[in-house]
Structures are given as structure tokens and as C-alpha cells.
Amino acid sequence: MPEAFFTVDGDSYLPGALTRGPWGAAMGGQIVGGLLGWGIEQSGIDPDLQPARFTVDLLRPVLLEPVRIEVAVQREGRRIRLVDAALVQNGRQVARASALFLRRGEHPEGEVWSAAVRMPPLPAGSDGLPPDVPFLIWRYGATAAGSPGLAAGEWEQSHSQKFAWARLIRPMVQGHPLTPFTRLAFAGDFTSSLTHWGTGGLRYINADYTVTASRLPDGEYLGLAAQSHFGAAGVATGSATLFDRHGPLGTSSALALAQPADAFRPVHSWPGQSQPAQAIS
């Protein structure tokens, strides 16, 4: 098993260097959400319950320091389970999440309208990329070819609809294998950059994100297809459709605030990027 983002130290979780995000000396939103999702899953979930909604509130910058997870079951019923979780750092809550689980059952007959959405095909592979990257993301928008990376490429200066295939490689916590729910919780944070990246670059930092899912994703790849971006007076909302290799499975959304043009500083540098990014040591 590859090195994880976090290791356990008593009741705390110690972040590794790869937890750093692109908005300064703090954890990335996908790392925060992934750890919260992992904590909720550890509370014990009936396998017949579908994780139907997962919301993360990014309350404060989560420093690259030990954090604790506090989990509380808010509602336990025959067909529904609502679980809250919080990340606590230096005595205060820095992020929180809520997960709604619904019991699976017989599916009704008939057809219901939904907008048709198509994703680019799955990436052929990860040849040429370093084996120690924390996750891979292929971006599509300007062309159908796609490009890996976070700093530039397909989304830079692009005004077209954007798509992404993401693959989480490292486990969230050392000694615990990746699960479909953790992948879902992790990838939802990409909704913000997918929907808020414009011709001026990424000018918004998200304050939250939500994913909804009719089923768990199958396989290592999660896809996102941008559906909308609306913004006014420095506040933006974006939405996307979520995919796995079989097709659409749910939705994601992110609320964001405007940031200075030079605030976004990607920390992952991969081959094929059209501009340099700050590398993690």
C-alpha cells in the first residue's frame, strides 16, 4: 500500500507533505473532505445504506498540523441515517461535514427525464507520470485530447465546457485501503476548479462542496462534467455531473468566493504541464 496522506497518532491524524493545497500553507479541500468522509465511514455504516449526500463546509484554513475527527450520529432510522463529522485543530472546529445515507430497495418502473451528458473516454493510462503523485487528474475542455495536471493545460484561458477524470492513488489514512465512498468524498472538491476556472484562470476559492450519489462509484476513476457557473459580486456557484466508468451516478456543487489573480499556487508538478508549478518536497 502506498504512503497515505495521514498517519494515526493516538486520537489525532498527522498530515504528510502531500496534504498541502494550492491556496497557501494549508490542506487542500479534497484532503479535508476525504478525511471527513473517511471518519464518517469509520463510524460504522450498514452496507445496505447508500451514501446519497455528502456536504463539506470549509470553515477555516486547515493547517499542516495534527487534527482530530469528531463524529456524531444525528438521525438513525429504518431507512435513513444522518451522520455529522468535524475536524478539530488547536481546540477549534476548522471544517465539518454531513452525510445522509438512504436504504436501498426495489427500484420503481418507468422512465424519468434527465439531461443527456457525455464524458470524454477514460484516460488510457498514467505512463510518464511520477509514481509518487498523490492523485491524478486529466482535464478536458479546449480539445478532446485532455491533459494531466493542475497548473495549466486544457482549462487555461478556456471558455468551453470543462471535464475531468480523477483518480485517487494514495489511501487517506495509513493502514486503511481506499473505499468508493472516500473516493467520492475526495473528488467532490474538484467541482470548484472545474466550474469556476475561466479565461482569467482560477479566481475563486470554494467555501463548501456537496456531492449526491444514486450509487457508489465503481473503479478507480471518477469523472466530472461541468454543467453551470453563475457568479455576481465576487460570489459564485457551480454544478457538475458525476460519472464512473459505467456512466452518470450523481451531481456535485460548490460555492466559492473571489480571490486575487495570483492567489492560486498549484503544488503538484507533473509532466505535460504548460507552465511550472511549485513542487512538493
Side-chain angles (χ1 to χ4, degrees), residues 9-258:
D9 183 17
D11 64 349
S12 295
Y13 298 85
L14 308 182
L18 293 176
T19 61
R20 180 174 178 172
W23 297 100
M27 295 184 201
Q30 70 277 6
I31 304 296
V32 173
L35 184 61
L36 283 165
W38 180 87
I40 287 174
E41 199 168 26
Q42 297 305 301
S43 69
I45 305 299
D46 185 332
D48 288 332
L49 291 176
Q50 163 65 28
R53 191 258 297 154
F54 178 71
T55 296
V56 175
D57 290 310
L58 303 167
L59 305 176
R60 297 180 175 88
V62 184
L63 304 178
L64 304 178
E65 299 176 2
V67 293
R68 293 188 300 106
I69 307 174
E70 296 179 351
V71 179
V73 177
Q74 300 297 333
R75 172 78 165 89
E76 186 82 75
R78 187 176 64 87
R79 302 183 67 190
I80 187 173
R81 191 173 199 256
L82 180 63
V83 185
D84 289 349
L87 288 190
V88 178
Q89 192 171 66
N90 298 321
R92 65 178 183 176
Q93 192 176 113
V94 292
R96 65 186 182 187
S98 175
L100 181 66
F101 296 82
L102 301 177
R103 186 165 300 280
R104 301 182 184 93
E106 184 178 352
H107 200 72
E109 297 180 356
E111 297 183 2
V112 180
W113 179 89
S114 182
V117 185
R118 293 186 62 185
M119 278 290 294
L122 280 165
S126 56
D127 293 344
L129 296 177
D132 59 345
V133 295
F135 58 88
L136 302 176
I137 179 168
W138 281 261
R139 303 184 307 165
Y140 306 80
T143 73
S147 65
L150 292 178
E154 288 285 321
W155 294 351
E156 191 72 12
Q157 307 296 321
S158 174
H159 190 244
S160 59
Q161 184 182 14
K162 297 175 178 62
F163 306 85
W165 281 109
R167 177 190 170 202
L168 179 57
I169 296 174
R170 296 173 179 272
M172 193 56 53
V173 176
Q174 197 69 40
H176 296 267
L178 283 170
T179 66
F181 180 58
T182 300
R183 293 183 184 277
L184 194 66
F186 181 91
D189 181 71
F190 294 135
T191 307
S192 183
S193 54
L194 179 88
T195 60
H196 301 319
W197 199 311
T199 55
L202 185 55
R203 295 294 309 278
Y204 298 90
I205 182 172
N206 57 317
D208 79 343
Y209 68 88
T210 295
V211 297
T212 66
S214 61
R215 57 179 175 82
L216 285 169
D218 180 33
E220 296 182 331
Y221 290 92
L222 264 169
L224 299 93
Q227 296 301 298
S228 69
H229 165 90
F230 304 105
V235 176
T237 176
S239 65
T241 300
L242 296 174
F243 285 76
D244 65 4
R245 59 183 177 175
H246 302 296
L249 59 90
T251 63
S252 59
S253 63
L255 291 167
L257 289 166

Side-chain angles (χ1 to χ4, degrees), residues 20-22 24 151 265-270 273 275-281:
R20 180 174 178 172
R265 299 178 181 274
V267 294
H268 308 301
S269 180
W270 300 335
Q273 293 178 307
Q275 68 183 44
Q278 178 183 352
I280 293 179
S281 58

